[in-house]
Amino acid sequence: MRGGNSFLVILKNYKVQYSRIHFLRSSVNVKCKCLNAVIVPKACHIISRFESSEAIFNNDKLLHLPKKVKIKDHLPDVPVVEQLTNPVSDLPDIITEVVIPLNKLGEPTLQSLGLGSAYTPVGWVQRILEFIHVNFNLPWWASISICVVIVRLLMFPLVVKNQRNSIQMHNIMPQMQEIQMKMQNAKTYGNHMEAMKFGHELAIFMKENSVNPAKNVLLPLFQAPVFISFFMALRKMASVPVESMTRGGMLWFQDLTVMDEFYLLPLITCTTLWITLEVGADFNKLPSSSVTSRYMIYVIKVIPILVFPFIMHFPSGICVYWASTNMMSLIQVAFLKIPAVRKYYKIDIKKSHDKQLLGQKKGFVKDMKSVYSNFKFAKEISERERLDEYSFRRAGRIPPTKTYKYNPTLKQSAIEAKKG
């Protein structure tokens, strides 16, 4: 019985396999003669093996089958057709072709590479760069430079407002410093009412002259997201990489997806960045009315040196964008220095002040000593105020301190004092 059950299981499996073959033949719409030419010989070979054998294996155990049982009797009839002389030519072509969309230049589009999303600023930048590159048939370095020019022209009104506000603040700087010094001294000596008074006076003075220090921050705030979007867009395009960018450079940097092996692009980028910060093109020179603002200028000037070790390994495309941005900033500053242009945009002439009015620079060591002494003095004032407040509260809670020899409220003590 055990051998018969195993035989039925094997027979069932062969029926299932045959059914699958029949289903595949009908689903793929293959010619009957073509499929039978491949399947029938194999099936007949299997059947003949089982008919000639008296035993099969099941789970590594030898099972003897009765000789009367024939597998062929339990299989469905298979139509036998003549074998094809060249069956390969009649078989269907199952190779699928992947269609990659190309642009006008015959290059794969950025969308086909997973770039150029329509929902992020990075994708917008990539689409703009691709539009300029394809429609004007320009190399990638030129497309990046033209895109920088367009963006900086759109931000030019902010540059004009920034220049106008910074020049106005510079022209009234001596008066502002005078009020600021009075306010700082009042804070140092703990006179908060006087400090608030001078602070209100300074706010009114700036409002009358139409200046606001916060306006100088507008341009960097708008430039920061634009710079980050361009940086990430070019970095992703170099990481894929976009094949046309590997030959989209010029001169010594032909491949924009790799770093400049001569380090000339990072050097040009840092040099133009230093000149931009020096002339105050994007970040206007801070008024040197305090030690903190003066040394903020020194920190800004050191930035190009600090960033060079990082940008020297950037792809050349990013360095091309950064250098183009710095050069465009310098061009805008030079344009705004033309007298006719300044008159058209109502930018005042920059006045030259006496250094004594602006305050003489003491040097780094003296400035640090001055900052430390002012901090120490302010701390002492704050400590005195805290002790005075503590003494006042304590005096109201404890009994008065005895400062006399006898208590005049007691008559007996007064009499004894007179006798003595």
Side-chain angles (χ1 to χ4, degrees):
M1 293 297 293
R2 186 176 181 182
N5 293 336
S6 301
F7 170 75
L8 293 177
V9 171
I10 295 172
L11 184 61
K12 184 178 180 181
N13 291 336
Y14 271 95
K15 286 184 177 181
V16 171
Q17 295 296 332
Y18 183 83
S19 301
R20 291 179 180 176
I21 293 171
H22 184 70
F23 172 75
L24 289 174
R25 183 179 62 183
S26 59
S27 61
V28 242
N29 196 15
V30 183
K31 294 180 180 180
C32 179
K33 60 179 181 179
C34 178
L35 190 60
N36 287 332
V38 180
I39 298 173
V40 173
K42 187 67 176 177
C44 294
H45 175 67
I46 295 173
I47 294 171
S48 63
R49 288 183 59 188
F50 273 92
E51 288 182 346
S52 61
S53 178
E54 297 181 358
I56 61 173
F57 289 90
N58 184 18
N59 296 328
D60 298 332
K61 293 182 180 180
L62 188 63
L63 301 177
H64 294 277
L65 301 179
K67 293 183 179 181
K68 297 180 180 180
V69 179
K70 293 184 179 182
I71 301 176
K72 188 176 180 180
D73 298 335
H74 296 275
L75 290 177
D77 295 334
V78 179
V80 180
V81 296
E82 58 181 358
Q83 189 170 353
L84 298 178
T85 57
N86 190 13
V88 179
S89 60
D90 292 342
L91 289 175
D93 188 9
I94 60 173
I95 300 177
T96 58
E97 296 181 359
V98 179
V99 180
I100 300 177
L102 303 177
N103 54 32
K104 296 179 181 179
L105 302 180
E107 303 169 354
T109 61
L110 295 184
Q111 287 79 8
S112 65
L113 300 176
L115 303 172
S117 173
Y119 306 102
T120 61
V122 176
W124 303 338
V125 171
Q126 292 171 346
R127 290 196 172 197
I128 294 173
L129 291 174
E130 185 183 27
F131 177 82
I132 298 174
H133 168 67
V134 173
N135 290 275
F136 296 97
N137 194 14
L138 295 174
W140 281 107
W141 71 267
S143 302
I144 295 171
S145 301
I146 291 176
C147 193
V148 168
V149 173
I150 294 173
V151 172
R152 295 309 297 258
L153 289 177
L154 292 175
M155 300 179 67
F156 185 71
L158 287 177
V159 177
V160 173
K161 291 183 179 180
N162 198 18
Q163 288 285 325
R164 187 187 298 132
N165 186 73
S166 61
I167 294 298
Q168 290 175 348
M169 285 190 64
H170 175 80
N171 292 339
I172 63 173
M173 187 55 63
Q175 296 85 346
M176 289 180 59
Q177 286 188 1
E178 183 180 356
I179 300 174
Q180 287 175 351
M181 289 297 296
K182 292 179 181 179
M183 183 173 62
Q184 185 65 32
N185 292 334
K187 288 182 179 179
T188 303
Y189 288 99
N191 194 343
H192 300 293
M193 293 298 296
E194 285 291 323
M196 292 176 62
K197 175 184 175 183
F198 288 120
H200 183 65
E201 182 180 347
L202 179 63
I204 294 175
F205 178 75
M206 289 191 297
K207 186 176 181 180
E208 291 176 352
N209 290 272
S210 302
V211 296
N212 188 356
K215 291 182 180 180
N216 292 339
V217 190
L218 288 177
L219 184 60
L221 285 180
F222 277 91
Q223 285 181 341
V226 174
F227 178 83
I228 294 173
S229 299
F230 269 91
F231 177 84
M232 296 183 65
L234 292 171
R235 187 181 65 176
K236 288 183 178 180
M237 293 171 67
S239 299
V240 170
V242 178
E243 184 180 358
S244 56
M245 288 187 68
T246 58
R247 53 185 183 276
M250 66 173 183
L251 300 178
W252 72 92
F253 57 96
Q254 291 294 330
D255 192 350
L256 297 180
T257 62
V258 297
M259 58 176 286
D260 183 6
E261 58 182 352
F262 301 106
Y263 303 110
L264 293 179
L265 273 179
L267 184 61
I268 293 173
T269 302
C270 290
T271 304
T272 53
L273 178 61
W274 179 80
I275 298 173
T276 303
L277 297 176
E278 182 66 22
V279 300
D282 290 338
F283 303 95
N284 289 281
K285 292 183 177 180
L286 299 174
S288 58
S289 59
S290 63
V291 178
T292 305
S293 61
R294 283 203 296 269
Y295 287 103
M296 278 295 296
I297 299 175
Y298 297 149
V299 172
I300 291 176
K301 290 181 178 180
V302 177
I303 288 178
I305 302 175
L306 298 178
V307 301
F308 180 77
F310 299 97
I311 68 174
M312 63 187 295
H313 299 291
F314 284 171
S316 298
I318 296 178
C319 293
V320 169
Y321 162 72
W322 203 340
S324 302
T325 301
N326 296 337
M327 291 179 182
M328 192 62 190
S329 299
L330 295 176
I331 292 173
Q332 287 180 344
V333 171
F335 178 72
L336 290 175
K337 285 186 177 181
I338 301 174
V341 176
R342 299 179 73 88
K343 183 178 180 181
Y344 176 80
Y345 288 109
K346 299 179 181 179
I347 301 177
D348 297 337
I349 299 175
K350 189 175 182 180
K351 298 179 180 179
S352 58
H353 301 294
D354 189 2
K355 293 183 178 181
Q356 294 181 355
L357 296 176
L358 295 177
Q360 297 180 354
K361 296 181 180 180
K362 302 178 183 179
F364 180 78
V365 178
K366 291 183 178 180
D367 281 337
M368 290 297 102
K369 288 183 178 179
S370 177
V371 171
Y372 177 74
S373 60
N374 291 337
F375 175 76
K376 187 176 180 181
F377 185 72
K379 187 176 180 181
E380 290 178 357
I381 295 295
S382 178
E383 188 69 18
R384 290 177 186 176
E385 291 179 353
R386 191 181 66 83
L387 290 175
D388 289 343
E389 183 179 0
Y390 174 76
S391 300
F392 179 77
R393 291 182 178 180
R394 185 172 179 274
R397 295 174 182 175
I398 62 175
T401 305
K402 186 176 181 181
T403 58
Y404 44 83
K405 295 182 180 180
Y406 63 94
N407 191 350
T409 58
L410 300 176
K411 296 181 179 180
Q412 187 64 26
S413 354
I415 295 172
E416 292 178 355
K418 288 180 180 180
K419 289 182 179 180

